[in-house]
Amino acid sequence: MLDFAQLQHQLQGFAAYQQRQRNVLQEKLRAALETWTAAPEADGLREQVEAARPSWLVAQPLSPKLQERVPAPERPATVTVVAADGSQIFPNRHVEPPCFLINVGRVAFQLGTLEPPVLESIPRFYYRQEDLRDLLDDRFETVSVEIVSALRDEQELEALLELAVTAQQEGRPLVALLDGTLIRWMIRRLHQRDLEEQLIGRYVRLLERFQEAQIPLASYISRPGGAEVVNLLRVVRGECASSPPAISLEGLPDRLLFGRLLQPGERSGIFLSGSHIQQAYARPHQIAYIYLAVPGPYDTMEIARVEFPQWVAQREDWLDLIHAVLLKECEKGQGYPMALAEAHERAIIRGADREAFYEFIGRQLGQDGMMLESSRKQMSKRRPVL
Amino acid sequence: MPIGEVIESNTRQFVAEVYRDQAPPAFGSWVCVTLTGGWTLYGLVSHVELGSTEPGRRPMALGRTPDELRREMPHVLELIRTTFRAQVLAYEDPQGRMHQTLPPYPAAIHAFVEACPPTIVQRLSQPYDFLRTLVQSPDPAVPIDDLLVAVLRQIRAGYRDPEGTQALIEAGRLLSRLLRDDHERLEAILRRVT
């Protein structure tokens, strides 16, 4: 129960506070834009960063000119777009026996043709110790939310690769898309070195297979929170120096900066991510990105971040293709790529399905005379006493 | 060649989904479903509906021609389906006798639904008892008079003239009695048949 009367009092200062925060950000943005315009070429920037040795994550510009802007290219009349997304039912501590589910949704569209789309959901149910043999030394019960999430990300990538290979048509360009980041920094949260190394190794091997199959892979991030490019500007402004400027750009996200720099439809230059986990990836598979100005409904614009392995970044034609495809997909999807939205629809497990899932496995067990047991706490949540 | 499949069923009516490559049946036309044991149910199509296959996803205005949709957003068309409701008003028993009344058993879920040829009305004629069921226990969601107009049209079209006109007159006579001499209402129906 939420007491709105009490909450009301606490909200008194909310709007005023937000306004002040907004003003501060605007000041930082102004300062950032000045630094941006006057910034040196990529080589000069690299030297500055090496000399300054900042503690925060800094983007490494891969385009010769920092201020590069590329207008929207024309999308080919026919193109294959493949996308995947994943969802899960996490192991529920209050349910016995322990088990979990990963659901991957994947789609393939042959755009510009009358060929039928592929729209698939692939569920995978885990309950056996052997299924996690490679990853888990402990009992199955100890499988954590982080491990399930890492497994899900891996399965999305693998399912995407498989579909891309089968959907590929001779002479027709193809793009493979994922939602979210390709930088697996969250793996470090597992705090188990061996497990982390294994997961990263498997992930990079999947990226290698994409490269072998020559399939351009990219991921799309709506409303990105990164600040690596701003951090680069902080170095240029001398924020690492002994007497830093009065205003720090800390707290300013890249998307606000590029919101001012890019025209609708344009993409920025390419940046290599400074994320520490990149060091675990072999060079060609390290993740680079661009910022993209996506037009939305009613003349709005959103800055999205598009990530890809470096071997994709090296092909100008692939970047143009990804750029054009994403813009067209966002047009059809009211500001978010349609193919990714469909993959998401195939993956998502809604409340009713979740309930049906527990009922389903309960019945399976029931056929063998067993019961799906819930903890007392779980049952009291289901039927709160009046 | 079945046009669809039963997805909901009870004694009085069934709902069927139309197969993607088939055309839906016309309002007021007859469809039939065969049960195991040799029974055939005859239903009068009282409602045809287009909608989304997935709950929670509804069609929205997209501003694109059908061809553009097929090429750029094909899933949108895949997720639309046509369903129809048919009121079960007659059945044929395993001996081939036609009974114009509610059947003993409802249609099975997933049973195939076929469209009846227009001449089926010749087997669903005098004494037109199905009209009685239709008028006295109408489907509340259906404008009964409009359905009657469609039914009468089908009756006339199911014969070569002058039998068609004759059949229409016979049906009209029963209808007049069923509508309890509501002349205005009967006239409004008959006017729309011709």
Side-chain angles (χ1 to χ4, degrees):
Chain A
M1 189 214 115
L2 191 56
D3 188 335
F4 282 96
Q6 286 189 51
L7 199 55
Q8 183 68 36
H9 284 300
Q10 292 181 34
L11 288 175
Q12 297 299 345
F14 186 55
Y17 177 79
Q18 295 308 330
Q19 187 59 43
R20 284 196 301 276
Q21 294 300 101
R22 186 122 35 107
N23 294 341
V24 165
L25 269 182
Q26 287 304 314
E27 269 191 64
K28 294 184 198 243
L29 186 53
R30 265 191 296 274
L33 288 168
E34 277 175 28
T35 315
W36 176 268
T37 326
E41 303 266 306
D43 295 328
L45 286 168
R46 226 188 320 274
E47 282 165 20
Q48 282 195 23
V49 171
E50 269 163 38
R53 301 175 133 279
S55 57
W56 50 76
L57 300 179
V58 172
Q60 185 191 324
L62 295 181
S63 312
K65 221 165 84 76
L66 177 71
Q67 296 89 349
E68 179 179 35
R69 281 160 44 197
V70 181
E74 189 78 28
R75 195 202 80 181
T78 64
V79 59
T80 308
V81 177
V82 185
D85 195 7
S87 178
Q88 67 285 304
I89 295 180
F90 285 118
N92 188 338
R93 202 176 71 73
H94 296 283
V95 168
E96 172 110 358
C99 57
F100 62 91
L101 180 85
I102 290 178
N103 199 40
V104 173
R106 66 181 185 186
V107 301
F109 289 96
Q110 305 290 350
L111 298 176
T113 74
L114 295 174
E115 291 157 48
V118 172
L119 307 163
E120 291 179 341
S121 302
I122 306 167
R124 213 167 283 176
F125 184 47
Y126 291 80
Y127 59 93
R128 281 184 291 224
Q129 188 68 43
E130 307 91 80
D131 292 332
L132 300 181
R133 192 185 343 110
D134 299 334
L135 298 175
L136 206 58
D137 282 332
D138 289 323
R139 293 162 17 251
F140 189 90
E141 287 85 356
T142 63
V143 66
S144 65
V145 159
E146 285 81 10
I147 292 180
V148 174
S149 298
L151 262 180
R152 183 206 65 222
D153 290 334
E154 198 180 277
Q155 282 184 26
E156 281 173 36
L157 193 56
E158 186 159 30
L160 182 67
L161 175 64
E162 279 169 16
L163 185 57
V165 166
T166 50
Q168 197 161 37
Q169 302 286 321
E170 181 87 38
R172 187 180 296 164
L174 178 145
V175 171
L177 299 174
L178 280 176
D179 175 69
T181 180
L182 290 177
I183 303 167
R184 311 239 55 65
W185 53 266
M186 65 287 280
I187 287 182
R188 287 289 176 226
R189 277 219 219 114
L190 290 168
H191 299 303
Q192 294 169 61
R193 251 303 126 102
D194 290 340
L195 181 57
E196 289 168 26
E197 296 312 314
Q198 231 190 71
L199 285 168
I200 293 171
R202 277 153 58 147
Y203 195 78
V204 174
R205 264 196 295 285
L206 282 168
L207 295 182
E208 281 170 14
R209 285 168 62 192
F210 270 93
Q211 186 182 20
E212 277 156 27
Q214 289 285 283
I215 291 174
L217 166 70
S219 78
Y220 184 90
I221 302 168
S222 180
R223 204 164 189 279
E228 285 181 5
V229 178
V230 167
N231 286 344
L232 178 62
L233 293 181
R234 291 170 71 189
V235 170
V236 172
R237 291 176 83 234
E239 284 190 32
C240 289
S242 43
S243 46
I247 304 173
S248 161
L249 298 183
E250 190 188 359
L252 180 69
D254 287 349
R255 69 172 184 273
L256 287 187
L257 175 66
F258 285 97
R260 292 291 206 87
L261 296 172
L262 298 175
Q263 292 299 307
E266 284 183 346
R267 72 171 190 258
S268 70
I270 312 168
F271 299 94
L272 189 66
S273 170
S275 185
H276 297 306
I277 194 124
Q278 294 260 72
Q279 286 146 30
Y281 289 33
R283 266 229 88 103
H285 303 290
Q286 285 178 358
I287 306 300
Y289 55 89
I290 48 125
Y291 284 102
L292 180 64
V294 176
Y298 312 114
D299 279 332
T300 54
M301 191 177 88
E302 184 187 73
I303 297 294
R305 175 163 146 152
V306 182
E307 295 182 354
F308 30 77
Q310 219 175 349
W311 51 266
V312 171
Q314 277 153 11
R315 291 252 320 242
E316 182 88 28
D317 59 330
W318 277 351
L319 287 183
D320 281 343
L321 180 64
I322 291 167
H323 184 173
V325 164
L326 281 174
L327 284 179
K328 252 280 138 67
E329 288 303 293
C330 286
E331 204 184 288
K332 292 185 280 181
Q334 249 94 26
Y336 183 77
M338 179 200 85
L340 281 172
E342 278 317 301
H344 176 79
E345 283 299 314
R346 294 282 127 187
I348 192 114
I349 303 171
R350 295 211 154 87
D353 277 345
R354 193 176 297 264
E355 289 300 311
F357 166 74
Y358 283 117
E359 248 178 83
F360 186 70
I361 54 178
R363 261 183 284 134
Q364 291 295 312
L365 290 175
Q367 278 166 19
D368 285 309
M370 288 184 287
M371 262 177 56
L372 191 71
E373 290 186 29
S374 291
S375 70
R376 294 286 151 198
K377 178 171 172 182
Q378 175 96 333
M379 296 195 334
S380 90
K381 279 195 201 173
R382 285 212 168 132
R383 283 197 300 265
V385 175
L386 180 62
Chain B
M1 161 101 329
I3 57 166
E5 199 168 302
V6 175
I7 56 173
E8 274 177 48
S9 175
N10 61 51
T11 300
R12 295 184 51 193
Q13 64 178 31
F14 58 82
V15 177
E17 182 177 323
V18 180
Y19 288 127
R20 208 165 278 289
D21 54 345
Q22 295 294 318
F27 176 69
S29 68
W30 289 93
V31 292
C32 64
V33 182
T34 308
L35 307 183
T36 49
W39 306 78
T40 305
L41 307 186
Y42 289 88
L44 187 71
V45 177
S46 60
H47 182 79
V48 183
E49 191 170 321
L50 289 95
S52 164
T53 52
E54 277 177 37
R57 289 191 78 174
R58 297 169 51 183
M60 274 172 46
L62 296 170
R64 288 170 196 264
T65 66
D67 186 67
E68 281 170 2
L69 285 177
R70 267 193 295 276
R71 287 177 195 280
E72 288 295 324
M73 304 175 71
H75 61 289
V76 153
L77 298 170
E78 304 248 328
L79 294 173
I80 293 180
R81 67 171 189 179
T82 307
T83 57
F84 64 87
R85 231 175 19 241
Q87 258 186 274
V88 183
L89 295 169
Y91 69 93
E92 193 183 287
D93 64 25
Q95 288 75 42
R97 284 187 305 250
M98 187 69 92
H99 306 264
Q100 292 187 26
T101 182
L102 295 185
Y105 313 107
I109 305 280
H110 295 301
F112 295 133
V113 182
E114 312 243 349
C116 299
T119 47
I120 191 66
V121 297
Q122 297 176 17
R123 298 192 60 210
L124 291 159
S125 56
Q126 287 280 37
Y128 289 112
D129 284 328
F130 76 84
L131 279 180
R132 188 178 297 271
T133 318
L134 196 58
V135 170
Q136 287 170 350
S137 325
D139 181 343
V142 177
I144 181 66
D145 287 6
D146 290 82
L147 186 53
L148 288 169
V149 169
V151 168
L152 292 174
R153 282 217 190 108
Q154 296 275 351
I155 290 174
R156 190 186 47 200
Y159 301 81
R160 277 206 295 268
D161 250 337
E163 284 101 1
T165 316
Q166 188 55 36
L168 180 62
I169 292 171
E170 282 161 14
R173 278 207 195 105
L174 172 63
L175 208 54
S176 145
R177 288 199 298 279
L178 290 171
L179 297 181
R180 285 179 221 290
D181 300 315
D182 184 342
H183 297 293
E184 205 271 313
R185 189 177 169 193
L186 183 65
E187 208 181 272
I189 291 171
L190 292 176
R191 182 177 59 232
R192 288 185 279 169
V193 175
T194 46

